[in-house]
Amino acid sequence: MTTQTVIQAMADKVLAGDRRALAQAITLIESGRDDHRIKALALLDLLQNSNREALRLGLSGTPGVGKSTFIESFGMMLVAQGLKVAVLAIDPSSARTGGSILGDKTRMERLTREPNAYIRPSPSQTELGGVARRTREAAMLCEAAGYDIILIETVGVGQSETVVAQMCDVFTLLLAPAGGDELQGVKRGIMEMADLILINKADGDLAAAAQRTCADYAGALHLLRKRAQDPDGFPKAACVSALQDTGLPEAWEDIQHLVTWRKSQGLFVKTRADQARYWFAQDIRNGFLAQLERDPYKQKIIDLAEKVGQGDMSPSRAAQLALASLRSAPINDANT
Amino acid sequence: MTTQTVIQAMADKVLAGDRRALAQAITLIESGRDDHRIKALALLDLLQNSNREALRLGLSGTPGVGKSTFIESFGMMLVAQGLKVAVLAIDPSSARTGGSILGDKTRMERLTREPNAYIRPSPSQTELGGVARRTREAAMLCEAAGYDIILIETVGVGQSETVVAQMCDVFTLLLAPAGGDELQGVKRGIMEMADLILINKADGDLAAAAQRTCADYAGALHLLRKRAQDPDGFPKAACVSALQDTGLPEAWEDIQHLVTWRKSQGLFVKTRADQARYWFAQDIRNGFLAQLERDPYKQKIIDLAEKVGQGDMSPSRAAQLALASLRSAPINDANT
């Protein structure tokens, strides 16, 4: 078979909802090899207009907040409604350690066994930009494979929330019950991204604390400037218990209400277009800068940095010489 | 005269301490014109090994903290000791509005009239990276012109402190007396950059509050991990009154002690080398990315973004096509 035939066959299987083909396709887009990248782009071209639309739901929460339990309970509820659910992850720590949030699938034992659920660990990458592109492309593959909901989770540290929010239709922040002081633990920037703040563990001894925390956040959200993408009452804060399955149907109703409203206003499509253009710009930037990490430029830059460090040349002059040596820089297509 | 002769003459005048030539030289390095940039780099080459060393002192503080009054009092004290003082500024707001902290020189009326003081407003630029390079180069020109102290001030908002800290030998944070709650108003990252925290307005009604604030910060600094570049007792917090000229000689002694110790440990030279390499890397990055803002790439990128926004092409494919069109990207030397 020619390469084109192989890729077409893979695309057909993904469109037919073949789980194994989906897994292979995601592995292909995650590969760092140049020849794999060419195939991955061809595959994405074939699936670009599948005319299928999944709801992309972002979920952020710090470790200990009960994220795995929430995804399991929420995912099981959706599956019970006849929906197909895919779970992806962006783990900023995997950029450093190669580890992965979802590496241990035993944390979502029931959901893992569901034929209508697909769980994929975070790709390991050296930098967040790379993880972001691969997860965004994996979401697109899951959408083409006929999944209705794509849950993209991330640990609430650093920049990964921004990355997830930029590839989701709805962004949910999961928090644990806490004292008033800890309200400041959530960065303003992250709170401003949230469409829905869910206080988990609203059960047992923590039920009262969860109610208080929820009221605190509802008050804080009220102080933020209204965004164009919000219907009345949003962003909102609510209590859930992933352990006791309470509040989950209500959260799902809220999400659906939000999506329906945004679609009616033309905002759903607009946000997706904005996001696609954002990622296009990011990809160009990253691909362009990647040239600097390759020989012969890399060595040239190291040599010039040496002179700069010794005070023999101004940083400005050295940068000008380095850029001059990039004059006919060949851009490697496969690594865009 | 040939261009080379003109530049050599300018360099000679700068080295001779000619204020008018210095002002012209700074205007040259601030220019965005390509032909000016070529001359500016030639000038920097000639001044690179002037063998003169000024102390570069960074100063950050939010509006209202009394920064202008401090610079005036501190600068007058240094001038009275026979030292030559240059004042530069990085104003992040100038990137947006074209305004400038030091535009109103009347705020430093006495210092402005001193023959041994040179005050230069922040260059107006469209982005912080551009302001940073120009201010760093202006500091180098002032150093070559024989100034002993170069005060580089910035408003304490956003990323401009990092930029200033990366071009200074000693970084000072100026604060106003405040209640305990406001301790959290200083970002941890900025506090970690500070070598010296000075609580200003330690006079009149605010004297007691300043002492408390100083004690609070001294305690907070104590909690931070010790840095390699700190002698015992540093970073430290102290009270000053720019209005009543108290605490300023002590602050100057602290700064000199810090510099002497760092020089004895080889850390002064090492930090300068690290900073030069840092700016070299930043300049390459910015110069490289600037290509994307120019035709024919700019138009190509706009066209592809349109397709991406309409969903006709994946962001990944569009980025690959854009990068392919950059294959033989000519790098314009003059704009590094």
Side-chain angles (χ1 to χ4, degrees):
Chain A
M1 286 199 288
T2 65
T3 301
Q4 186 56 36
T5 321
V6 172
I7 297 299
Q8 183 66 59
M10 187 183 262
D12 291 341
K13 281 185 188 169
V14 168
L15 286 167
D18 182 325
R19 286 170 68 106
R20 208 168 139 220
L22 176 61
Q24 286 170 340
I26 295 178
T27 301
L28 180 66
I29 58 137
E30 287 178 356
S31 170
R33 270 175 52 181
D34 289 358
D35 57 329
H36 286 173
R37 192 67 203 147
I38 290 166
K39 289 179 191 169
L41 284 172
L43 181 67
L44 291 171
D45 287 345
L46 291 172
L47 298 174
Q48 178 68 17
N49 289 308
S50 68
N51 286 322
R52 284 180 177 160
E53 186 182 277
L55 174 65
R56 300 179 196 161
L57 185 60
L59 182 73
S60 172
T62 46
V65 77
K67 211 148 62 288
S68 299
T69 314
F70 177 85
I71 293 171
E72 167 123 312
S73 298
F74 195 72
M76 289 303 288
M77 178 191 75
L78 297 173
V79 165
Q81 294 182 18
L83 296 166
K84 291 184 71 178
V85 179
V87 183
L88 306 174
I90 287 188
D91 181 359
S93 69
S94 76
R96 293 190 300 270
T97 64
S100 164
I101 304 175
L102 291 170
D104 183 10
K105 283 198 191 176
T106 56
R107 286 161 57 204
M108 297 177 201
E109 220 174 319
R110 286 182 297 155
L111 198 60
T112 306
R113 287 197 303 266
E114 276 295 329
N116 279 336
Y118 178 77
I119 299 177
R120 178 86 183 186
S122 175
S124 52
Q125 275 286 320
T126 48
E127 43 91 31
L128 189 57
V131 177
R133 192 187 65 194
R134 282 154 179 80
T135 304
R136 171 171 53 87
E137 291 174 353
M140 198 266 208
L141 295 178
C142 292
E143 191 161 33
Y147 286 86
D148 302 296
I149 319 284
I150 300 163
L151 258 164
I152 305 178
E153 73 145 318
T154 192
V155 169
V157 289
Q159 292 192 284
S160 63
E161 293 92 349
T162 311
V163 165
V164 169
Q166 276 288 355
M167 61 177 78
C168 284
D169 304 312
V170 174
F171 186 73
T172 303
L173 186 60
L174 198 67
L175 297 175
D181 283 358
E182 295 178 47
L183 185 59
Q184 300 191 6
V186 178
K187 288 186 194 143
R188 187 180 167 87
I190 292 167
M191 209 157 91
E192 282 175 343
M193 284 191 286
D195 295 311
L196 201 59
I197 292 181
L198 297 176
I199 318 299
N200 193 20
K201 303 189 181 178
D203 47 48
D205 291 347
L206 291 172
Q211 292 295 345
R212 278 196 307 272
T213 304
C214 183
D216 286 345
Y217 278 98
L221 285 173
H222 198 67
L223 295 175
L224 295 177
R225 198 156 45 106
K226 190 163 167 64
R227 306 175 304 177
Q229 67 266 38
D230 295 324
D232 286 344
F234 283 86
K236 75 185 275 186
C239 282
V240 298
S241 165
L243 202 65
Q244 300 185 348
D245 281 353
T246 55
L248 299 182
E250 290 80 1
W252 177 227
E253 266 173 42
D254 283 336
I255 290 166
Q256 286 173 293
H257 171 69
L258 197 55
V259 170
T260 305
W261 185 82
R262 285 183 184 168
K263 283 188 175 172
S264 73
Q265 304 292 312
L267 293 168
F268 189 89
V269 168
K270 182 183 175 299
T271 301
R272 283 213 169 181
D274 289 345
Q275 289 176 342
R277 280 189 295 261
Y278 170 86
W279 289 112
F280 166 58
Q282 290 289 315
D283 280 4
I284 293 181
R285 196 183 159 89
N286 293 337
F288 202 43
L289 287 175
Q291 294 302 303
L292 299 177
E293 300 298 322
R294 298 198 193 110
D295 278 329
Y297 317 116
K298 192 180 176 186
Q299 191 54 51
K300 175 91 181 169
I301 287 168
I302 289 169
D303 293 344
L304 285 165
E306 177 78 15
K307 287 188 186 163
V308 167
Q310 287 169 349
D312 294 335
M313 197 182 277
S314 72
S316 305
R317 170 62 78 191
Q320 180 261 331
L321 291 176
L323 288 167
S325 84
L326 290 165
R327 201 179 258 281
S328 55
I331 302 285
N332 187 334
D333 294 354
N335 282 276
T336 56
Chain B
M1 288 197 287
T2 65
T3 301
Q4 186 57 37
T5 320
V6 172
I7 297 299
Q8 184 66 59
M10 187 183 264
D12 290 342
K13 282 185 189 169
V14 168
L15 287 168
D18 181 325
R19 284 169 70 108
R20 209 169 138 219
L22 176 62
Q24 285 169 341
I26 296 179
T27 301
L28 181 66
I29 59 140
E30 286 178 357
S31 169
R33 269 176 53 182
D34 290 357
D35 57 329
H36 287 172
R37 190 71 201 144
I38 290 166
K39 290 178 189 168
L41 284 172
L43 180 68
L44 290 171
D45 288 345
L46 291 172
L47 299 174
Q48 177 67 18
N49 288 307
S50 67
N51 285 322
R52 284 181 178 157
E53 188 181 276
L55 174 64
R56 300 179 197 160
L57 184 60
L59 181 73
S60 172
T62 46
V65 77
K67 212 147 63 287
S68 300
T69 314
F70 176 85
I71 293 171
E72 166 123 313
S73 297
F74 195 72
M76 288 303 287
M77 177 190 75
L78 297 174
V79 165
Q81 294 181 18
L83 297 165
K84 289 185 73 178
V85 179
V87 183
L88 306 174
I90 288 188
D91 181 0
S93 70
S94 77
R96 293 190 299 272
T97 62
S100 165
I101 304 175
L102 291 170
D104 184 10
K105 283 196 190 178
T106 54
R107 286 162 58 205
M108 298 179 202
E109 220 175 318
R110 285 182 298 154
L111 199 59
T112 306
R113 286 197 303 264
E114 276 294 329
N116 280 334
Y118 177 77
I119 299 177
R120 179 87 184 185
S122 175
S124 52
Q125 275 286 317
T126 48
E127 43 90 30
L128 190 56
V131 177
R133 192 187 66 192
R134 282 155 178 81
T135 305
R136 171 170 52 85
E137 290 174 353
M140 198 267 210
L141 295 179
C142 292
E143 193 161 32
Y147 285 87
D148 301 295
I149 320 284
I150 299 162
L151 259 165
I152 305 178
E153 72 145 317
T154 192
V155 169
V157 289
Q159 292 192 285
S160 63
E161 293 92 348
T162 312
V163 164
V164 169
Q166 276 290 353
M167 61 177 77
C168 284
D169 304 312
V170 173
F171 186 73
T172 303
L173 187 59
L174 198 67
L175 298 174
D181 284 358
E182 295 178 45
L183 187 57
Q184 299 190 10
V186 179
K187 288 187 195 142
R188 189 181 166 85
I190 292 167
M191 209 157 92
E192 281 174 344
M193 283 190 288
D195 295 311
L196 200 59
I197 292 182
L198 297 177
I199 318 298
N200 193 19
K201 304 190 182 180
D203 46 49
D205 290 348
L206 290 171
Q211 291 295 344
R212 280 197 305 274
T213 304
C214 183
D216 287 346
Y217 279 98
L221 286 173
H222 199 68
L223 295 174
L224 296 177
R225 198 155 44 105
K226 191 165 166 60
R227 306 174 303 178
Q229 67 266 39
D230 294 325
D232 288 343
F234 284 85
K236 75 184 277 184
C239 283
V240 298
S241 165
L243 203 64
Q244 302 186 345
D245 282 354
T246 56
L248 300 181
E250 292 80 359
W252 177 229
E253 266 173 44
D254 283 336
I255 290 166
Q256 286 174 294
H257 171 69
L258 197 55
V259 170
T260 305
W261 184 83
R262 285 181 184 168
K263 284 188 175 173
S264 74
Q265 304 292 312
L267 292 168
F268 189 89
V269 169
K270 184 182 173 299
T271 301
R272 285 215 168 181
D274 289 346
Q275 290 176 343
R277 281 190 295 262
Y278 170 85
W279 288 113
F280 167 58
Q282 290 290 318
D283 279 3
I284 293 181
R285 197 183 157 89
N286 293 338
F288 203 42
L289 287 174
Q291 293 303 303
L292 299 176
E293 299 298 323
R294 297 200 192 109
D295 278 329
Y297 316 117
K298 192 180 174 185
Q299 191 53 52
K300 175 93 182 167
I301 287 168
I302 289 170
D303 293 344
L304 284 165
E306 176 78 15
K307 288 188 184 163
V308 167
Q310 286 168 350
D312 294 336
M313 197 182 278
S314 71
S316 305
R317 171 63 78 193
Q320 181 261 329
L321 290 176
L323 288 167
S325 83
L326 290 166
R327 201 180 260 281
S328 56
I331 303 284
N332 187 336
D333 294 355
N335 282 276
T336 55

